[in-house]
Amino acid sequence: MTGTTHLDLYLFNSRVTNLSQIIQSASMMKFEECGITDVLEKAEDWLQRLKALAEEPQNSLPDILIWMLQGGKRVAYYRMPAHQVLYSSNDPKCCGKNCGKLQTIFLKYPQAGNKGAKMPAQVRVQLWFGLAVHQAKFNQSAQGKLSVFAETYENQTKLALVGNWGTTGLTYPKFSDVTGKIKLPKDSFKPSSGWNWAGDWFISPEKTLLYDTDAGHMSFVEEVFENQARLPGGQWIHMTEAYSDVNGEKVLPKNEIECPPGWKWEDVEWSTDINRAVDEQGWEYGITIPPDRKPKSWVPSEKMYHTSRRRRWFRLRRRDPKQIELLKKHKPDEAESEGWEYTSLFGWRFHLKYRKTDSFRRRRWRRRMEPLEMTGAAAVFALEGALVSNKQPVLCCNHFLDVGNLIIHPDHPEGQFCV
């Protein structure tokens, strides 16, 4: 046969030999007295040999990797052999066993010895892997409603003297991506080939901001970390980000943190946490190696080569039953229903409720696209060229897929799935 290699011939002979041995062994069992244990052992041996024969050693397709990302960091993954979801036009039996089928996958940590949960995530996915010429067959396996959302953020700032929100003095684009660096006005979005707009732009607040970390608690410990830096052997000075949370994200200084509505401070003042692996003043030390912005590990004893240190401040607050009753009767004002999220400085963590120190706000706008009826779900393949087109760069980081209840966003900072 044309294109046959020596490896193909050896593989063919190996398969014929193994199949003959299995058939011969099964035939001999008809005339032998064997216990159920011996029969099961032989059957399992045949199964393992057949599985080994079914694997294609010359398969040039790499495995499919599904990554779960958080803030640009790869936190979990799943590796799937491509032949399991590969589509074949020859016969349905030639397709991969999971091609176009809904399946449950269990993600793993990228590094061994992770101290987190044994299973970081469980995902229900439906994968179909085939040639572009067979994209129409993808519609037969597609389930649910396929949508693509355009996304842009409206930005405003508050002038100190005037006190009104607007775009005067704004150093960022009026409409931008989530980072505030790319200018994205609404009229710059154009539907891709095979797609059409389904509705107008609408405000869509970030869902993660609707739930506070103290939700469901009657008491809560507010914490903040004080950060200092120095050159090796120099004097300690406060960093640009003088206060942060445990992950290094910017937060307000401890004296500017107000007790939320419905709560009251249990502790009169902030206290330094010394019940940890820290020195007598509560400091822990580390080395910051660029491009990292913070040390990867902390130690309680100071050395001359340490360049960063931090200490934890905490303050206990409790629910106030009297204020809770008043909050139930309180109706959200017009500003709270407009979808704005606030922060003191751009780059700090956003929150829904306005604070006196806030000088920047933004809200998220979305617009949904649906595939044309004549194209169906296969229209998703038309996005491939649009996502890398130089003529429409806005599509690169501002569209995400909504397949059923699973949302895949290419550049979301909180978390995402990437194939």
Side-chain angles (χ1 to χ4, degrees):
M1 183 180 295
T2 305
T4 303
T5 63
H6 289 290
L7 181 59
D8 294 327
L9 296 176
Y10 287 127
L11 181 62
F12 175 77
N13 294 331
S14 175
R15 287 174 173 172
V16 171
T17 302
N18 278 272
L19 288 175
S20 300
Q21 292 176 355
I22 293 174
I23 294 173
Q24 183 179 3
S25 178
S27 300
M28 292 176 61
M29 288 185 62
K30 295 181 179 180
F31 309 101
E32 295 179 356
E33 294 183 2
C34 300
I36 186 66
T37 304
D38 297 332
V39 174
L40 287 176
E41 288 181 357
K42 290 184 178 181
E44 290 178 355
D45 178 63
W46 299 339
L47 179 60
Q48 295 299 324
R49 293 171 67 178
L50 290 174
K51 285 183 177 180
L53 293 175
E55 295 292 336
E56 175 57 57
Q58 299 184 88
N59 188 1
S60 60
L61 289 175
D63 293 342
I64 296 174
L65 286 176
I66 301 177
W67 287 97
M68 184 172 70
L69 310 179
Q70 182 179 12
K73 183 180 179 181
R74 299 173 184 260
V75 295
Y77 79 99
Y78 181 81
R79 180 188 295 271
M80 178 181 296
H83 66 81
Q84 293 185 4
V85 293
L86 186 63
Y87 172 79
S88 174
S89 59
N90 294 330
D91 188 89
K93 296 181 180 179
C94 297
C95 298
K97 63 179 183 179
N98 294 322
C99 179
K101 297 180 181 179
L102 190 64
Q103 56 179 312
T104 302
I105 61 175
F106 302 96
L107 274 63
K108 301 178 181 179
Y109 290 105
Q111 296 179 351
N114 194 292
K115 297 181 180 180
K118 293 183 178 179
M119 183 181 66
Q122 171 186 331
V123 186
R124 296 278 286 171
V125 297
Q126 184 179 6
L127 300 179
W128 184 94
F129 184 42
L131 299 176
V133 294
H134 300 145
Q135 60 182 263
K137 299 295 182 180
F138 173 72
N139 293 333
Q140 300 176 2
S141 302
Q143 298 180 7
K145 195 173 184 179
L146 182 63
S147 299
V148 173
F149 286 82
E151 178 181 286
T152 184
Y153 283 81
E154 180 183 2
N155 305 311
Q156 289 187 358
T157 187
K158 185 177 182 181
L159 297 178
L161 299 178
V162 181
N164 296 328
W165 292 99
T167 56
T168 304
L170 184 67
T171 57
Y172 297 91
K174 296 179 181 179
F175 286 89
S176 69
D177 67 337
V178 67
T179 65
K181 298 178 181 179
I182 303 177
K183 185 178 180 181
L184 294 177
K186 294 179 181 179
D187 55 6
S188 66
F189 291 85
K190 306 296 180 184
S192 302
S193 176
W195 296 80
N196 196 13
W197 292 120
D200 203 353
W201 290 93
F202 62 93
I203 299 172
S204 177
E206 177 60 51
K207 300 298 183 183
T208 56
L209 298 178
L210 300 177
Y211 302 96
D212 295 327
T213 54
D214 55 16
H217 295 271
M218 295 304 295
S219 61
F220 186 79
V221 177
E222 195 80 50
E223 69 172 9
V224 64
F225 285 81
E226 180 184 0
N227 302 295
Q228 291 186 354
R230 71 173 181 183
L231 295 175
Q235 297 294 324
W236 292 105
I237 59 174
H238 276 96
M239 301 172 59
T240 306
E241 302 173 6
Y243 289 89
S244 66
D245 61 8
V246 65
N247 298 318
E249 298 290 338
K250 298 178 182 178
V251 296
L252 291 173
K254 58 183 178 64
N255 295 328
E256 297 181 13
I257 297 178
E258 300 178 354
C259 190
W263 296 79
K264 62 179 180 180
W265 290 117
E266 182 76 9
D267 296 337
V268 179
E269 297 291 341
W270 290 86
S271 302
T272 305
D273 187 2
I274 57 174
N275 297 319
R276 304 165 59 236
V278 294
D279 62 13
E280 61 276 4
Q281 295 181 341
W283 293 104
E284 53 185 349
Y285 303 85
I287 305 173
T288 303
I289 303 176
D292 295 335
R293 297 185 304 170
K294 62 176 183 178
K296 293 185 177 181
S297 61
W298 301 89
V299 295
S301 56
E302 180 183 0
K303 303 296 181 181
M304 291 292 294
Y305 52 79
H306 284 144
T307 58
S308 300
R309 71 175 183 176
R310 69 175 185 178
R311 59 180 172 182
R312 179 177 180 263
W313 294 85
F314 68 93
R315 191 176 182 183
L316 179 64
R317 53 181 168 92
R318 295 188 183 276
R319 291 278 187 184
D320 188 350
K322 297 180 180 179
Q323 293 189 37
I324 293 177
E325 293 298 326
L326 294 175
L327 289 173
K328 291 181 179 179
K329 300 178 181 179
H330 172 69
K331 296 181 180 180
D333 55 25
E334 198 173 301
E336 292 178 351
S337 60
E338 292 180 348
W340 293 104
E341 50 191 58
Y342 302 86
T343 185
S344 300
L345 291 174
F346 193 87
W348 289 27
R349 185 182 297 274
F350 282 86
H351 46 266
L352 283 182
K353 297 180 181 179
Y354 170 72
R355 301 171 183 171
K356 296 179 181 179
T357 56
D358 292 334
S359 60
F360 184 87
R361 72 176 185 177
R362 71 179 185 183
R363 60 180 174 182
R364 183 171 60 182
W365 290 83
R366 285 180 176 173
R367 192 176 184 184
R368 186 161 58 94
M369 281 198 315
E370 289 184 351
L372 300 176
E373 292 186 7
M374 58 180 297
T375 311
V380 69
F381 295 100
L383 293 177
E384 181 180 1
L387 292 174
V388 297
S389 174
N390 293 328
K391 296 181 180 179
Q392 294 182 342
V394 296
L395 299 179
C396 181
C397 58
N398 292 280
H399 285 74
F400 59 91
L401 304 181
D402 183 3
V403 185
N405 295 323
L406 175 63
I407 295 178
I408 307 174
H409 192 301
D411 284 307
H412 198 284
E414 297 297 335
Q416 59 182 322
F417 288 99
C418 180
V419 182

